Amino acid sequence: MKLIFSFFLVAIFSIQAFSQELGPKESKISKEFSLEVSSDHRFFFKDGLYNKQENYFASIAIEPEFTLKWDEGEQRIIGDLFGRLSTHDQNRSHWDIRELYYQIAKNDWELSAGLKKIYWGVIESVHLVDVINQTDLVEGFDGEDKLGQPMLHYTWLSNFGTFEGFLLPYHRKRTLPREEGRLRFPIVLDAADAEYESDMDEFDLGGAFRYSNYFGVFDVGLSYIYHTNREFLVRSNEAFQLVPYYEKMHQLGLEVQATTGAFLWKFEGINRYADSDDFMALAAGGEYTFSNIKSSGVDLGVLAEFIYDDREPIQFDFETGEITGSTGTGFQKDIFVGGRLGFNDTQDSAILFGGLFDLEKEGKIFSLEAERRFAQNWKGELELRIFTDFEEDELFYFFRDDSFIQLNLGRYF
Amino acid sequence: MNRIIVLAFIIAFSTSGFSQNRGLEIAKKYDEAYTGWGSYATTSKMILKNQHGQESSRLLSGRNLEQSSDGDKSMIFFDSPKDVKGTAVLTFTHKEGTDDQWLYLPAIKRVKRIASTNKSGPFVGSEFAYEDLSSQEIEKYSYKYVKDEKANGANCHVVERDPVDPKSGYKFMHVYYNPNQKYRIEKIVFFDRKGSKFKTLIYKGYQKYKGSYWFPDELHMTNHQSQKETRIMFETYNFNVDLEDNDFSQTKLRSAK
């Protein structure tokens, strides 16, 4: 973490020195600060399959954010810190710098240095191309919680689209639950024991490139990344302990969305090349929105997405000690069907619901997420995940007794 | 007898043709008066009042860029409530066909293209529909002069405006143009799909910017059917921002605020 900081500081000072060259401007600094304090309660309906697993997790989290702007907003420092304290699972009690970066933004280019979050992709049910940031797995099940990634990020807004280059000097390890935690494999892996293919370990230097543009109804994104994989293999170390093992990877990604009237057509796909495996994965689907139903103001979006992944899910053979397959996906041929209800009311109430169905096996995951604001500064969220009918050769078989409901209440300052 | 009917038809047609021409002429005069402003940025406060008189508010900031060959470009940023702070919408209006629209979700830093066909739905729980806030391009309506009537104490031309888009929430609206103040709009009365009186929008506190453009300090929308009200109070207009096309890009949805 210290090293991330020093990288950040060096980057800030070098860019600062560079931007001074561009000529000083009005130096009025504007500051903004906000804070979110929230408490969540996660309750698992069944006892855990594995030793020591708990059923009820309560936690509190704080997330202070700040922005410093000067030079008429052309230069900024953004900070977003995060910390959680949980009753069980010491790994869920964790903190992170989600973002802390300096940015200079001109009309047709931007340069950022520091820890930043980047989102790529168009599909709702899985996030295939979105690999700049490591997943903060102990935070959430859907892979949308991310750790801050140290980077230099350059964006060029040209007449033929947006070109982005990323220099990635550090790899973040995926957060993993301890013994008490749920939604885990039968063996407990310690993120700190992780081993790397790169001689530089987590200081592996990588890069990424993205081109994005829109042509009428089409939005297109093409990306390439060469860095240490965000997903890991499980292998035994010299002390015969099972540890996460991070390989180097090349990944090519493509995203396309066509927006025709109330229909959204979406595709995203990747080809990933690593020592252990080359594979492709894709997801494609559509979304249709019935808006302002019967003049009630309510919108209903219905969506269906097909997911295909070449990889086999991870399997532990406890007799031979052999481990095969990938921790990266639980989907081989699946379909997601769901809906999104937006009430368009003063409280911004919304409900997201759906089911993931394995097309070759019996496994299903049902989910529901609802949110609503209370008064001016409170927000309540409800999340429900049900795992059902999973068979032995599916990744979610390990989580078959981990259906849960979670309530979250947040206050914004 | 036949001749009289024919004559009546001719008169009816020519007067309706006349009132259509006059309606369009007025709309064009309005459009001309609002040509050449270039770009501007605003900050505003939206106050929503429900039927029990309870109020809630949102702080917004926006930027607009005039386009000559196509509809205007705009961005709206939400500054409060705090849980949606940073959320932003980018819209490219088109004179014909549906607009292009992108939404920025700050929690996961995601920009997504969204369907812009929801014209009639309420904008963030307010009494303004999306179509009320989008750029008012001439091609989006047909026009018919109705009468002269006072609004905000000024003599106005009342023009019936019929939306071309069948997805509009309105059958028509009566727009009150003030010919003595460069055809600025004083009031709009909206009629729902059944033709019943639905909402009234009053433009208040007009001020002149850049020497010739009238912009209101307040938009006050009253829904006659639900008894709810929404006021948008503009706190600042900045016509010196000198914005360009790149300032209305997906990248700037994230970095402009």
Side-chain angles (χ1 to χ4, degrees):
Chain A
M1 221 51 190
K2 257 186 203 162
L3 281 149
I4 300 177
F5 260 123
S6 23
F7 162 76
F8 174 67
L9 289 175
V10 168
I12 278 192
F13 285 121
S14 47
I15 294 183
Q16 255 297 67
F18 166 66
S19 67
Q20 294 293 320
E21 300 286 306
L22 300 172
K25 265 193 193 170
E26 185 197 357
S27 61
K28 205 179 81 189
I29 296 181
S30 76
K31 308 176 194 91
E32 273 181 46
F33 179 80
S34 65
L35 175 69
E36 181 191 349
V37 181
S38 63
S39 168
D40 75 17
H41 304 267
R42 197 183 265 195
F43 182 80
F44 290 85
F45 301 115
K46 289 184 183 164
D47 286 338
L49 283 163
Y50 317 117
N51 250 343
K52 293 189 183 168
Q53 282 188 314
E54 294 285 343
N55 290 348
Y56 169 60
F57 297 74
S59 72
I60 53 165
I62 61 163
E63 189 162 3
E65 290 178 59
F66 69 87
T67 307
L68 299 177
K69 278 191 286 194
W70 66 99
D71 228 11
E72 293 167 345
E74 281 188 357
Q75 297 192 62
R76 331 189 281 164
I77 292 176
I78 306 268
D80 178 358
L81 313 177
F82 173 82
R84 181 180 297 285
L85 264 177
S86 171
T87 50
H88 300 296
D89 186 1
Q90 66 192 67
N91 282 12
R92 199 158 192 259
S93 297
H94 69 303
W95 69 279
D96 183 44
I97 304 174
R98 295 292 197 229
E99 293 199 299
L100 183 59
Y101 63 94
Y102 162 81
Q103 181 177 57
I104 177 162
K106 296 286 180 184
N107 180 263
D108 62 346
W109 62 270
E110 296 184 359
L111 182 64
S112 319
L115 291 105
K116 200 174 178 185
K117 286 206 294 184
I118 301 291
Y119 188 97
W120 293 346
V122 293
I123 292 284
E124 306 296 326
S125 54
V126 287
H127 305 291
L128 297 169
V129 298
D130 185 34
V131 290
I132 287 286
N133 293 82
Q134 179 60 277
T135 300
D136 191 354
L137 194 66
V138 295
E139 262 310 295
F141 175 74
D142 58 10
E144 285 182 0
D145 294 285
K146 297 291 185 182
L147 299 172
Q149 169 66 40
M151 69 178 75
L152 259 180
H153 176 199
Y154 179 78
T155 305
W156 177 41
L157 298 151
S158 83
N159 291 334
F160 7 88
T162 304
F163 295 87
E164 291 171 88
F166 299 83
L167 199 65
L168 308 165
Y170 190 84
H171 174 268
R172 304 287 312 268
K173 300 177 183 101
R174 184 164 291 201
T175 58
L176 297 167
R178 300 288 310 162
E179 287 95 337
E180 294 172 333
R182 301 295 290 261
L183 300 160
R184 68 167 172 87
F185 299 125
I187 47 144
V188 174
L189 299 165
D190 193 342
D193 293 335
E195 292 188 348
Y196 282 87
E197 177 186 341
S198 166
D199 297 336
M200 300 293 288
D201 294 341
E202 54 264 66
F203 291 97
D204 178 38
L205 180 67
F209 173 81
R210 184 166 191 259
Y211 168 75
S212 55
N213 202 355
Y214 96 103
F215 310 92
V217 300
F218 292 101
D219 282 70
V220 178
L222 188 64
S223 57
Y224 168 73
I225 178 170
Y226 176 56
H227 200 205
T228 291
N229 201 336
R230 274 55 175 149
E231 292 162 1
F232 56 83
L233 302 172
V234 180
R235 71 169 202 188
S236 148
N237 67 5
E238 283 171 350
F240 301 105
Q241 256 181 316
L242 292 175
V243 295
Y245 175 67
Y246 289 99
E247 284 185 302
K248 301 264 291 182
M249 66 154 181
H250 295 270
Q251 176 176 307
L252 256 173
L254 174 69
E255 322 142 45
V256 183
Q257 181 177 320
T259 308
T260 56
F263 257 114
L264 311 181
W265 305 97
K266 300 169 172 192
F267 171 87
E268 77 182 60
I270 55 167
N271 261 311
R272 192 182 291 169
Y273 311 94
D275 261 0
S276 66
D277 191 17
D278 294 344
F279 72 93
M280 76 95 127
L282 62 86
E287 180 172 344
Y288 184 86
T289 305
F290 300 92
S291 52
N292 197 15
I293 296 167
K294 295 199 165 159
S295 300
S296 60
V298 177
D299 296 341
L300 172 67
V302 287
L303 56 152
E305 290 174 348
F306 168 74
I307 308 159
Y308 172 82
D309 200 310
D310 261 356
R311 290 172 290 179
E312 288 301 316
I314 190 162
Q315 294 293 319
F316 302 89
D317 188 328
F318 290 103
E319 278 167 28
T320 63
E322 204 186 352
I323 300 159
T324 55
S326 160
T327 59
T329 186
F331 310 112
Q332 281 68 46
K333 266 187 198 130
D334 293 67
I335 192 157
F336 174 79
V337 181
R340 185 202 317 270
L341 263 174
F343 291 87
N344 293 313
D345 53 357
T346 51
Q347 293 87 16
D348 291 318
S349 313
I351 300 173
L352 210 73
F353 54 92
L356 248 164
F357 304 90
D358 197 310
L359 292 176
E360 293 169 325
K361 290 158 188 159
E362 293 300 309
K364 299 170 207 48
I365 304 173
F366 295 102
S367 59
L368 179 113
E369 291 169 75
E371 59 175 38
R372 182 185 198 270
R373 176 170 50 249
F374 296 93
Q376 190 79 352
N377 292 312
W378 292 84
K379 188 176 175 183
E381 288 168 282
L382 176 88
E383 181 179 341
L384 180 72
R385 306 267 177 197
I386 307 283
F387 300 89
T388 173
D389 300 329
F390 281 101
E391 293 163 34
E392 249 176 84
D393 53 350
E394 292 175 89
L395 182 124
F396 295 110
Y397 183 70
F398 298 119
F399 308 160
R400 63 192 181 277
D401 286 351
D402 288 344
S403 298
F404 70 90
I405 187 164
Q406 176 174 310
L407 258 170
N408 186 64
L409 187 64
R411 169 81 164 94
Y412 295 78
F413 299 93
Chain B
M1 194 63 187
N2 271 346
R3 235 179 266 169
I4 295 171
I5 291 174
V6 170
L7 197 65
F9 259 110
I10 289 170
I11 291 169
F13 256 86
S14 56
T15 52
S16 81
F18 168 74
S19 56
Q20 272 169 21
N21 284 342
R22 185 151 184 227
L24 182 62
E25 248 166 51
I26 293 166
K28 277 185 174 159
K29 278 185 180 147
Y30 164 84
D31 199 57
E32 273 163 32
Y34 281 91
T35 297
W37 45 263
S39 62
Y40 65 91
T42 58
T43 56
S44 59
K45 185 176 191 176
M46 184 181 248
I47 299 170
L48 302 94
K49 196 158 124 186
N50 69 13
Q51 58 271 55
H52 311 297
Q54 291 161 326
E55 288 189 350
S56 59
S57 68
R58 290 177 189 265
L59 293 176
L60 308 168
S61 41
R63 44 165 72 170
N64 296 70
L65 179 69
E66 187 178 9
Q67 302 278 294
S68 48
S69 54
D70 200 356
D72 298 339
K73 295 182 177 181
S74 72
M75 263 192 202
I76 297 174
F77 303 92
F78 290 83
D79 299 326
S80 91
K82 285 171 182 157
D83 65 299
V84 295
K85 187 175 162 30
T87 306
V89 182
L90 168 67
T91 307
F92 293 174
T93 331
H94 296 304
K95 291 188 184 227
E96 278 158 34
T98 50
D99 300 342
D100 300 331
Q101 207 159 52
W102 292 265
L103 172 70
Y104 174 63
L105 301 165
I108 56 171
K109 316 297 175 199
R110 178 177 181 181
V111 176
K112 65 197 266 192
R113 175 91 169 255
I114 53 174
S116 64
T117 47
N118 183 7
K119 303 249 167 193
S120 60
F123 175 71
V124 296
S126 75
E127 297 316 306
F128 286 86
Y130 283 91
E131 61 187 311
D132 304 340
L133 294 166
S134 78
S135 171
Q136 312 282 305
E137 305 297 331
I138 284 200
E139 291 81 354
K140 297 203 162 184
Y141 306 93
S142 63
Y143 302 83
K144 199 159 74 192
Y145 168 78
V146 183
K147 59 185 173 187
D148 277 9
E149 196 177 282
K150 277 199 168 180
N152 289 344
N155 288 317
C156 292
H157 297 320
V158 183
V159 173
E160 182 184 313
R161 205 165 72 167
D162 297 7
V164 172
D165 190 332
K167 289 206 172 71
S168 168
Y170 311 120
K171 191 172 180 191
F172 61 92
M173 56 204 88
H174 283 164
V175 184
Y176 290 68
Y177 294 95
N178 184 343
N180 298 315
Q181 302 293 350
K182 297 194 126 191
Y183 290 89
R184 70 186 195 195
I185 297 173
E186 301 287 349
K187 181 168 109 170
I188 303 179
V189 183
F190 298 88
F191 295 84
D192 66 14
R193 279 270 157 218
K194 293 179 198 122
S196 329
K197 194 173 169 189
F198 183 16
K199 302 189 292 192
T200 300
L201 173 61
I202 295 171
Y203 292 67
K204 293 179 179 169
Y206 266 112
Q207 291 193 53
K208 213 179 233 183
Y209 295 90
K210 269 189 150 179
S212 67
Y213 304 105
W214 289 106
F215 280 84
D217 281 350
E218 184 183 333
L219 301 175
H220 189 158
M221 182 75 93
T222 307
N223 185 323
H224 305 293
Q225 296 176 357
S226 70
Q227 311 305 325
K228 293 182 194 172
E229 284 175 44
T230 301
R231 283 180 295 159
I232 301 176
M233 333 271 273
F234 291 95
E235 279 153 5
T236 57
Y237 279 101
N238 181 359
F239 281 85
N240 299 318
V241 278
D242 204 14
L243 299 167
E244 296 170 40
D245 278 324
N246 278 340
D247 295 309
F248 295 81
S249 57
Q250 295 178 50
T251 304
K252 301 293 178 189
L253 273 175
R254 176 173 185 178
S255 60
K257 278 299 288 181

